């Protein structure tokens, strides 16, 4: 609660000017339904932004098969040790803070899409594949911390692209749609991940089925092995998807070049500063 009050206090202390009015922003004015649908029209009319949004939607769907089972995975491998679970989750948080500091000092590569694609691939490798293969608390903490370092690089670069490409007077409508689509699968994937662990991967890895025989050498055939496999497969999918869009989706790869920044768009008039 303290952090929320600090954030609100910071906003109250900053003078935020009204954005410059753009032609597109005025075209989106109208009834509640028209303004609500404007964000969809704006994004779908720009192939680069749509590709970026679909890329994140796909990754969020894939990661949804792994992240929701972090707690049962660690607990099942540590005799239900809440201390081990807390340590592993704290490592994620520490890695995120370190990544944020590094991002603030370095700023990432000049091309933001490079930050996103490299960061997501490394997240899949360290934060999912190696995390699933790890078999001790210190290895989970190390891979979690390293994997989380890339979160600020990816999210910061993505936010910078959206803020540069979308005019400030329509960002509220566009960003609302952006978040809704990107997080569309979040309420669904935890259910799927849990059902997979309960009825497919965990029973399969602890029996003589083809799943246990094929991947037992990777993660063992003990409680938690099935969930470890979910992390590994999600990480592999992360890397494959990232390589695929890098090679075969030029609209995403060249987004920064093909779509002009909002300050190059036609404006109506400068808005007064309040």
């Amino acid at each position: 609660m303290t952090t929320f009050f600090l954030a609100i206090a910071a906003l109250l202390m900053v003078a935020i000017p009204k954005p410059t009015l753009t032609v597109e922003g005025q075209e989106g004015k109208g009834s509640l339904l028209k303004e609500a649908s404007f964000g969809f029209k704006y994004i779908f009319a720009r192939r680069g932004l749509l590709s970026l949004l679909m890329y994140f939607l796909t990754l969020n769907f894939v990661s949804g098969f792994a992240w929701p089972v972090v707690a049962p995975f660690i607990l099942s491998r540590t005799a239900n040790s809440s201390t081990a679970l807390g340590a592993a989750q704290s490592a994620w948080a520490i890695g995120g803070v370190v990544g944020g500091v590094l991002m603030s000092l370095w700023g990432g590569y000049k091309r933001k899409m490079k930050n996103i694609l490299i960061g997501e691939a490394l997240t899949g490798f360290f934060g999912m594949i190696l995390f699933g293969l790890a078999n001790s608390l210190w290895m989970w903490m190390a891979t979690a911390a390293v994997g989380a370092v890339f979160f600020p690089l990816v999210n910061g670069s993505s936010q910078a692209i959206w803020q540069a490409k979308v005019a400030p007077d329509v960002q509220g409508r566009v960003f609302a749609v952006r978040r809704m689509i990107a997080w569309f699968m979040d309420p669904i994937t935890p259910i799927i991940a849990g059902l997979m662990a309960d009825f497919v991967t965990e029973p399969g890895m602890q029996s003589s089925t083809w799943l246990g025989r094929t991947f037992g050498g990777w993660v063992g055939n003990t409680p938690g092995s099935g969930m470890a496999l979910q992390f590994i497969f999600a990480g592999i999918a992360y890397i494959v998807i990232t390589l695929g869009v890098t090679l075969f989706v030029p609209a995403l790869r060249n987004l920064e070049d093909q779509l002009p920044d909002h300050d190059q768009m036609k404006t109506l008039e400068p808005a007064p500063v309040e």
Side-chain angles (χ1 to χ4, degrees):
M1 291 178 62
T2 302
T3 60
F4 279 101
F5 284 118
L6 289 174
I8 294 171
L11 289 175
L12 293 175
M13 295 170 60
V14 175
I16 303 177
K18 287 189 176 182
T20 301
L21 302 180
T22 62
V23 174
E24 290 174 319
Q26 294 308 297
E27 290 177 350
K29 294 288 186 179
S31 65
L32 178 62
L33 180 60
K34 181 179 180 181
E35 293 202 12
S37 62
F38 175 80
F40 290 96
K41 295 178 181 178
Y42 191 96
I43 293 174
F44 279 78
R46 290 157 178 80
R47 189 176 178 183
L49 292 180
L50 180 61
S51 299
L52 180 60
L53 187 55
M54 292 298 102
Y55 172 60
F56 279 116
L57 173 63
T58 304
L59 292 187
N60 288 341
F61 175 73
V62 169
S63 65
F65 290 90
W67 301 133
V69 297
V70 168
F73 169 61
I74 298 295
L75 291 174
S76 65
R77 297 242 161 167
T78 58
N80 290 320
S81 171
S82 58
T83 302
L85 175 60
Q89 292 180 323
S90 295
W92 284 109
I94 293 171
V97 172
V98 172
V101 173
L102 292 176
M103 187 63 174
S104 299
L105 296 174
W106 170 43
Y109 293 108
K110 184 177 180 180
R111 295 187 65 83
K112 304 305 180 185
M113 281 308 307
K114 186 176 182 180
N115 296 327
I116 293 173
L117 296 172
I118 292 177
E120 291 290 27
L122 292 176
T123 297
F125 180 70
F126 287 101
M128 294 183 180
I129 296 177
L130 294 188
F131 186 82
L133 290 172
N135 55 14
S136 69
L137 177 58
W138 291 110
M139 292 179 67
W140 288 319
M141 292 178 64
T143 54
V146 175
V149 165
F150 304 107
F151 288 169
L153 178 67
V154 171
N155 293 331
S157 298
S158 174
Q159 186 69 12
I161 289 176
W162 283 92
Q163 288 185 319
K165 303 302 180 183
V166 180
D169 65 330
V170 299
Q171 284 184 3
R173 286 168 281 176
V174 174
F175 286 12
V177 172
R178 165 197 169 197
R179 294 295 188 189
M180 186 189 74
I181 294 177
W183 296 346
F184 177 73
M185 298 301 298
D186 285 12
I188 303 173
T189 50
I191 299 174
I192 301 175
L195 291 174
M196 283 188 62
D198 284 341
F199 300 106
V200 181
T201 58
E202 282 295 307
M205 289 302 297
Q206 297 177 48
S207 63
S208 59
T209 63
W210 70 269
L211 198 65
R213 294 193 303 270
T214 304
F215 301 105
W218 293 13
V219 293
N221 300 102
T222 58
S225 297
M227 290 178 281
L229 204 60
Q230 289 180 214
F231 271 97
I232 295 171
F233 283 164
I236 293 173
Y238 243 62
I239 296 174
V240 171
I241 292 169
T242 299
L243 289 176
V245 299
T246 302
L247 296 174
F248 303 112
V249 187
L252 178 60
R253 187 177 63 249
N254 302 320
L255 165 60
E256 295 168 87
D257 299 325
Q258 295 179 351
L259 187 64
D261 290 352
H262 67 75
D263 56 9
Q264 301 175 13
M265 300 176 184
K266 184 178 180 181
T267 59
L268 296 179
E269 60 182 49
V273 177
E274 293 186 349

